[in-house]
Every structure is written in C-alpha cells, then in structure tokens.
Amino acid sequence: MDFRLTEEQELIRSNMREFAETYVDPIAAEIDESARYPAEVIEKLAEGGWMGMPFPVEYGGQGTDYLTYAIAIEELSRSCAATGFTMSVHTSLSLMPIFLFGNEEQKKKYLPPLAQGKHIGAFALTEPGAGTDVGAATTTAVLEGDEYVLNGTKTFCSNGPVADTYVTFAWTDKSAGRKGLSAFIVSKGTPGLKVGSHFMKMGIRASQTSEIIFKDCRIPKANLLGKEGDGMKIAMNCFDHGRIGIAGQSVGITQAALDESINYSKQRIQFGKPISKNQAIQWWIADMATDINAARFLTYHAAWLKDQGQPFTKEASMAKVFCAEMAMKHTVKAVQIHGGYGYCKGFKVERLMRDAKITEIYEGTSEAQRMVIAGTVLR
Amino acid sequence: MPEILCCFKWLIDESYIRASSSGELDLETVDYKLSNYDRNAIEESVRLQEEYGGTVSAITVGLPDSTKGVKDALSRGPEKAYFINDDSFENLEPSQTAAILADIISSQINYDLIICGEGSSDLYAQQVGPRLAEKLGIPCISYIQKVQIEGDRIVAEKKVEDGIEVISAPMPVLLTVLPDINTPRIPGLKDTLGASKKPVINISKDDLTVSYEAKIHTNAIIAASMERNCQKFGSETEDIANLARALAKEGVIK
Amino acid sequence: MAGVWIFAENHTQGLELLNTGRILADKTGSRLLSFLWHDHQVAEDYLACGADEVLLLPPLEESQPLEAYIPVIVDELREGDADIFLLAATLRGKDLAARIASRLDTGLCSDCISLKLDEDNTRLEMERLVFGGAGIQKVFCSSRPQMATIPPGTFEAAVPANSRREGKIRELPSSPATAVKILEKKAKERKSANIKEARRVVCVGRGIEKEEDLAMVREFAQVLGAEIACTRPVSEEMRWLPEDLCIGLSGIEIKPDLYIGLGISGQVQHVIGIRDSKIICAVNSDENAPIFDVADYGIVGDLYDVLPRLHEELGKLL
Ligand SMILES: Cc1cc2nc3c(=O)[nH]c(=O)nc-3n(C[C@H](O)[C@H](O)[C@H](O)COP(=O)(O)OP(=O)(O)OC[C@H]3O[C@@H](n4cnc5c(N)ncnc54)[C@H](O)[C@@H]3O)c2cc1C
Ligand SMILES: Cc1cc2nc3c(=O)[nH]c(=O)nc-3n(C[C@H](O)[C@H](O)[C@H](O)COP(=O)(O)OP(=O)(O)OC[C@H]3O[C@@H](n4cnc5c(N)ncnc54)[C@H](O)[C@@H]3O)c2cc1C
C-alpha cells in the first residue's frame, strides 16, 4: 500500500490551489450573490488544460489519471463549489460518456473542442417526472430516415444555458424496459432544441441550471451514442464517474469550512479568550478534520480503482454519500462556530453551507447511493 | 540569442511553520515550495526568451529529495535543469551555495545571463546572487524591476532607496529580480506533465572542484514572538510622549 | 591593526552604525573606522560621534554606481586587517556587502537585528529574522572580518561627544572604472495612494464624530507619511471614505510597518485585515475595547484630545 501522491499530483494540486486563490477566490462571493456564470474563469481553466484532464492527448485532453482529476476538483471547489461543479459536469458527465461510448468519428468530432474547453458540455437526463426514478422519463427519440426526432422536456440541466454539447437520453423503444433508453449527442443550435427556464438556487448559484426542451428536434442518426438501448448503461456509468467528482467537490467544501473555522475560532474572543480554547469547539474541529481525512481517502480510493481498471461503482457511491453528508454536517457546524456572523453574507461559511446541500441531492441523492450500495453488498 | 540560466531553491513553505509551546520552531509538518522570488526569476528568464529567443536552463543546489522542486521549476518553462545534490546540502549558508553554483557553472555551463531572485523566501539573506557574480567575475545588477537586452548589453532598472538607477552592463551578467518585475504564470497541466520529460542533469558532490566551508554558523533558530505587546498608556502628555518614543524605537515612523 | 569598520549610504545611517560600532570598538579594544562618500563635510561630525578615523571615498562620476567603491573598500579592509565590518542594509548596501564578503572570502549576516560580543569579546553573536519573520536565526561568523548589514533604524544614532575627540581623516584613492554604467537616475515617483503597499496607515473608525473631523486626521497622516483608511461603518454606513479604503474581512488586508487605529473597537472582521501589520497602535476611549488585545501600543483616551498632542510629539521626532 502506498498512500503517497506522485510528485506530479502534488504539483498539480498546488497549481490548482494557486489558480483558485488567484482567479476564483476574489470573485466567488460575487458570482454566488449574482448567480453569474464565471465565463472568464472557465476560459482560464481551459487555457491551463483543466477542462479535459483525464482524456488522451490525441483527443485534446491532458492524459492525467482520474485521481489527479478528483484532486483538482477538490481544490477548485475549496474556493468555489459552483465552479468546481461546472468543471465536473463538463468532464464526468459530458466528455466521459462520449469518450467511453462514442465511436471514433464522434470522438474526433466532439472531444477536442470539449477537452480544450472551447466547448462546454452538459448532461440532460432528469425530467420533471423522472428524478431518482430515471425510468419514468418520457422523452422519446423516433428514427425517421437518417434522423432521430427528439421530443420531451429535461430539467435541472447543469451548464444547460451555456453548453455547446449535450449528452441526453430518450426512449427509442418504450416497450423494451430499461433496454429501451438510448443516449444521444445534441449540439447547441440544433433546431427544436430550446433552453427553458433557469432555476434560481439555494447554493452553487454560479452554476447555471435550466430546462432543456426538445420539440421535434432532429439530430443525425450518427449522434446516437453507443447502440440503441445502451442509454441506461451509459447514464449509470456517467454517474459512477460523476460521483467521484462530487465526492471531491464535497471534500473541497468541507476543507474550506475547516480552514475558515480554524481561522475564526482562533480570532474570536469571548469570555476573555479565543473560542478555540473551548473544548466544545475543539471537538467539532477535530471531528471535521478526521472526517475530511476519511472522506478524502474514500474518494481517492474510488478514483484509484477506476485508474486500475477495476470496478468502482460501489466505492464511488460510498465516497459520494459519505463525503456529501460529511460536507453538510460540518458546514452546519462551521456556521455554528461563527455564531451570528456565520449566518450573515460576507462570511464564507454561509455560502459553504448552502453549497454543501446540493451534494446530497444531485448525481443521485444520498438515498439513491444507499440503494446502490445496499444492492451490491446484499447481493 | 541569449543563453539564460536561472537559479532556484526548493525550500520550506513558511506558512506551515508553527511555534511549539517551548518556543522552538516546529518544522515537522512543513511542506516545501519553490522560493517565491525564484518564480519571478524563472518567469523573467522565460519572458526574455519569448522576446529575444535563446535558451533557458535552471539550476539548483539542494538535497537529493528535492526532485519535486526540479519538476516545479521545469514546469515554469526552462528546457532543462542542473540539479546539484547531496545529502549534506542541508542548511548551506549563502557563501557555500554561491561557491558550489560558481564551480559548476564555470566548468559546465555556457551562459550570457544568470537570473536569481532577490533573496530566498526562507533565509532571505540576499547574498547568493551577488556572491555568485563575484565568483564568476561577471557584473551584477541587483534588485531590478525591469530589464531588456540591447545588443550585447543588458539595460535594467535597479531599485535604490530614493528612486531608480537605469543601469547598463555588458553580458555575461547576473541579475537579481524583485517580485514586482512580473507576475509568474501558474503552470497549466501540460506544463506540469511535460516537466517530467525534460532533461535533468544530475551533478553530485564528487563533481565539485572547490571547497566550500561555512563561514556563517547557526547556533539556533527560535520562534519569533508573534504576541503583541499590549502596552497601554494613559492620555497624559507624558504618556503620549512615551508612546511616540516607543514608536520611534520600533523604527516605524521614519 | 584590527578594528571595527562601517559603511553607510547616508548620514543618519552612518550615525547609527557609529553608535553601535563605538561600543564594539571599546569592548574589543580596537579602533572604529568609517568610510564616508556622500558628504565629506560631515567627516568632523563622524569623529565627534565616535569614529577614530574617517576614510573619504572620492566622489563618483555621474555614471559610476556605488559598487565602484568595492575594490577600494576591499583593499582597505585587507590592509587594515579588519575584524568587524558593518554596513547599513540599504539595497545598494546589501549588494555591496555580499560582494565584498565574497572577495574577502568571509561570512555575512544579512539584515542583522541584534548583535553583541561573546564573553571573550571576540566573536559577534548576531540575530536575524527568517521564514518571513516566524523565526529568529542566531548566527556567528567564523572568518574575518565578521560582516553584517544592519537595517536602518535598528540602532539609535550616535550623538557628538561633549569633549573634543581626536581622530584622523584620510583620503582614499579613486575607484577604477566599472563595466557597469548608470545611464539615468529617476527619482521616486510618488505613487497614488496604494493602501496595500503603504508603510504607515492611519485608520479611522466610528469614534470619529463628523465627516469634517477627517481633515484633522488627514493632516496627522500627512505628517507621518501615512495613508488613510477606515472601518466598514465609516465607508459603508457613513460613506465618508470610499469603500476601497475599508480594511477587514469585506475590505482589504494590509501589512504596513505601522497601523494607527483611531476610535476603532477592534472587531474581528476588522482585525483580520490588519494582523500582518508590524506595529499596531490604537487610540480608544474605552479601556476594554478589544482593539487593545491585538495592539502593541494603546492610548486610552478621547481621540479628539489625544490626536493633536500625538501629532505634536511625533512631529518632534520626525
Ligand atoms: C442544482 C442541480 C443540478 C442538477 N444537475 C443535473 C444535471 O446536470 N443533469 C441531470 O440530468 N440532472 C441534474 N439534476 C437533477 C438531480 O440529479 C435530481 O434532482 C436528483 O437525481 C433527484 O431527483 P428529484 O429532484 O426528482 O428528486 P426525487 O427523485 O423526487 O426524490 C425526492 C426524495 O425522495 C427520495 N427518494 C426517491 N426515490 C426513493 C427510493 N426509491 N427510496 C428512498 N428514497 C427515495 C430521494 O432520495 C429524495 O430525498 C440536478 C439537480 C439540481 C438540484
Ligand atoms: C459579515 C460582516 C463583515 C464585516 N466586514 C468588516 C470589514 O471588512 N471591516 C470592518 O472594519 N468591519 C467589518 N464589519 C463590521 C464589524 O463587525 C464592526 O462592526 C466594525 O469593524 C466596527 O467599526 P468601528 O470599530 O469603527 O466601530 P465601533 O465598533 O462602533 O467602535 C467605535 C469605537 O470607537 C470608540 N470611540 C468612540 N468615541 C471615541 C473617542 N472620542 N475617542 C476614542 N475612541 C472613541 C468606542 O469606544 C468604540 O470602541 C463586518 C461585519 C459583518 C457582520
């Protein structure tokens, strides 16, 4: 067993830290407040090669392993969970399915601009009536000649309003059960593709979330990802990858909460001494630090399994649910440590607590993760 | 086209340093980093290369396990690195570092321009640059804020207390740069991953031809008291005069 | 003829080094020799202030940098078998020191903040800051001369002796030409208020009653050569100063040599922005104000009463 990161991984971590401190920290509160998409930061991320980390150089990527990618998401999210999520959705839920399930032609066409960050990717699966229950989706794809005709409404699509390339899912054969769902690549500007209403959210406000509406949206037959009927498999595979990113995001959020809590508790004087001298506060901070360690190891382990080419579905779910719940629990504590100030705008913990909540919901709720985990351990 | 050599040091990141309860510095849990000012030195070397062409190499003296530092430096642009390392190269004092660098540079490396940071962010003795220039017998322009190449000369803006001296010197020349000379780029992924593929010339103690005993010896490094004075005065005129004198003594009102 | 030798860029620094140099010379029973280049008129003053000999460096040509003196100084130190050589730690002084140390193959303690002789009065025990101020390094030099650069202001300036002191004044040979030339000298441009870089900051809080009273604070700041800044209520609520002068959590962080807070309670949101200041000084009428817990020096009193007098007292020292 070797718990050491490589020198490259450590350097990449500190470069991402420096990147985030330089370009993200100064605007994080502002883009949260105004729910603004930080296009300028995404552009800078693209310049640095961060928008296509775990993909081969021939497709415009950087050829890192998945662990390095998880580390980068963690460090970016430590400064701004929304920006971290933008990068994560783009990488894990949009590039990854095209890379893993696309044919050579699709890969050559879509991956380079995405991996170079010139295009932004999104993932449109959830529908108003189909959240955890993916099978309840109603969007359909009907083959007419050389084209599929898509009809239906997707919701909660992250990067929806800013994306160039969507990976989406629709029924090609409603009678075939799980095997009737298929995955498609849809480009921005395709007639019949419309960005619907935007959601104003509690947290990760700088991440752009909207409906995506398909109304007689005709896409070339060549945009079918994998085979007809592969949709469910592809969606689940996306989640396996995405959950490692969300786990990393959660670790980053909690690390930020710890940083803030240590800082504040040493400064805040009550009863003539810093509040950090009280054992109650010390224990909260000790628990926070301990859980972060545990969470980080779960995340890195899941990523490492993926890099080793081993199955990692269960471990990704474990990492995701543990990290997400840890983030929620400890950001609440971090606000508590800050007292009334923690409840006010201007203190980072206030944002962290709002941001943390989403990690328990998207890419499979905590309950859905437990279903996955139980499903494997009770088998 | 200039051949540029930049010097760098891999050192303790001071933000990790804590004082133990006994007043010692706790260096157990520290992390390491590329000296802040050396980032400016490397950046300026690369910037000059972008403007005038030529080559950029980097050189360091350090412990054998500073390989991460060598990669870090290479990820910032130099094409190759000279890595002079030995287990005994811990806590070298500036005259030793300068002697070792001078020995290797004069015997193995072609250069027109050597660029150092104004000091290292750990000891900040600000000696290695000027001492190295002396040992190599080349001119030195220290504390510069701006530099350009004009033919076979360097023209640099050197900061002095009451302003700036615009200095011209023939190459080869050594420069030490101030942090405001540039803003170092943050290495992107390609830079970091590419750094591992660049050549590193390992140089051992056996390759040295000079001796380099320490002249400055460290008895101890203790924690500087971070505590505030917390001295309160009343508002009598005598109190105010005392406060004024105290501030003068601290050297903060000149 | 071992002795203590000093070099400074200007007069005040010269007097400071004379003061400490005299103490070292007395203890080691040797002579104190001072180089002098900027103003030969003060040679007599130097003798009066403790020097046994003043060594006049001939004036430089416009294009000659200070480093032109290096060979002359090196020759002098060698011939005189100098035991201790102290230089004022100005930018050029530090450069000069490192290069002279290299030529003499000796050690140099940079930015020495404290020095004393050991029990035998032979070895200098010196201290300097390392790790960005987190540590104090205690060093000695095993070779001769023992060299150190000393930041201006570290020691008090020497004052002339009451009785007439005897001493020599000697002219040194002029310096050889250097390959390095000064093309032009530019005076320091007075930068527009950059609060983040300011060496001194006077910060006002809600203890100031009316906007007009800022004039008095401005005058005070001007005398000190300080920039003016404020707490959030002053910029945000009263709008007496622009927001970019607000220090603290929602404003900026500063690290001046001297911070003087006037009528500021010292809430953590503000204090976060000033904790890297070298010296924190506060005036507040409430002796329990938290600002006093994070201040080096505090005056408990009404700022309207204190400020004019502080202005006056500091004025005397500037
Ligand atoms: C900010 C944000 C961004 C998003 N980004 C995307 C995106 O980019 N692409 C995309 O496709 N989707 C996205 N989503 C959708 C997200 O993945 C879903 O919200 C999530 O899967 C849950 O679905 P739901 O909201 O419909 O909740 P529901 O499925 O209605 O769940 C409601 C509650 O019931 C619980 N529950 C449901 N079924 C069970 C069960 N069988 N057993 C126990 N408990 C159960 C859930 O855990 C939850 O607590 C995003 C959502 C948000 C809020
Ligand atoms: C989220 C958040 C962010 C914040 N960010 C910042 C920030 O970035 N910067 C900031 O400064 N504040 C910030 N604050 C506000 C901060 O909490 C304090 O309210 C503020 O610093 C107090 O400013 P003050 O010291 O000027 O005023 P007060 O707290 O009202 O203190 C005035 C002081 O002046 C003294 N005084 C009154 N009259 C006199 C007199 N005649 N002579 C001498 N002393 C006198 C009083 O004893 C008192 O101690 C923030 C608050 C929150 C909640």
Side-chain angles (χ1 to χ4, degrees), chain B residues 122-123 125-127 134 142 157 164-166 168 215 217 219-220 222 224 228 231 233 235 250 254, chain C residues 92 94-95 103 108 110 128 131 134 136 138 140 142 181 183-184 186 200 277 296-298 309:
Chain B
D122 54 351
L123 300 182
Q126 302 175 302
Q127 294 181 30
E134 283 294 323
S142 43
E157 296 197 356
I164 284 166
E165 290 177 351
V166 183
S168 158
K215 312 283 180 353
H217 306 266
N219 284 329
I222 58 167
R228 293 284 171 186
Q231 197 177 343
F233 295 89
S235 57
E250 298 276 8
K254 280 181 251 201
Chain C
R92 286 182 295 188
K94 289 193 278 193
D95 176 69
R103 290 201 191 184
L108 165 66
S110 303
R128 55 187 306 273
F131 299 127
I136 298 173
K138 298 171 174 261
F140 68 89
S142 55
K181 300 254 176 293
L183 301 179
E184 187 191 346
K186 298 184 193 169
R200 286 168 288 275
S277 308
D296 296 286
Y297 301 101
R309 288 183 294 147

Side-chain angles (χ1 to χ4, degrees), chain C residues 116-171:
Chain C
K116 64 171 198 291
L117 284 158
D118 67 354
E119 283 167 10
D120 305 334
N121 285 333
T122 53
R123 204 160 85 183
L124 271 183
E125 294 181 337
M126 301 175 277
E127 294 184 350
R128 55 187 306 273
L129 293 176
V130 291
F131 299 127
I136 298 173
Q137 184 187 21
K138 298 171 174 261
V139 301
F140 68 89
C141 175
S142 55
S143 49
R144 293 295 179 272
Q146 309 173 72
M147 286 182 61
T149 57
I150 299 186
T154 306
F155 300 109
E156 284 180 30
V159 286
N162 292 332
S163 53
R164 213 186 115 69
R165 288 189 77 254
E166 291 297 315
K168 270 207 306 207
I169 297 176
R170 179 155 58 92
E171 292 203 16

Side-chain angles (χ1 to χ4, degrees), chain C residues 14-30:
Chain C
L15 294 178
E16 289 167 6
L17 293 185
L18 282 172
N19 191 9
T20 190
R22 188 66 254 163
I23 297 168
L24 298 176
D26 287 345
K27 283 213 171 145
T28 52
S30 63

Side-chain angles (χ1 to χ4, degrees), chain A residues 123 125-126 131-132 156 158 201 358 361-363 365 367 371:
Chain A
F123 174 87
L125 172 67
T126 304
T132 307
F156 289 138
S158 301
K201 306 188 296 297
I358 190 61
I361 297 172
Y362 57 24
E363 305 203 16
T365 59
E367 296 68 39
M371 281 157 39

Side-chain angles (χ1 to χ4, degrees), chain A residues 6-8 10-12 14-16 18-20 22-23 47-53 61-64 68 266, chain B residues 10 18 31 39 65-69 71-73 75-76 183-193 195-196:
Chain A
T6 66
E7 285 177 349
E8 280 78 18
E10 287 181 2
L11 286 172
I12 288 168
S14 59
N15 291 334
M16 177 48 103
E18 193 182 342
F19 179 97
T22 310
Y23 298 115
E47 264 168 44
W50 301 101
M51 294 302 275
M53 291 181 68
Q62 302 294 333
T64 72
T68 308
K266 284 172 147 180
Chain B
W10 184 242
R18 302 275 173 273
D31 208 343
R39 299 173 195 217
D65 62 10
S66 315
T67 47
K68 184 169 145 196
K71 286 204 183 89
D72 192 341
S75 74
R76 292 164 196 271
T183 307
R185 280 164 273 200
I186 303 167
L189 277 167
K190 197 179 274 133
D191 306 316
T192 307
L193 297 167
S196 310

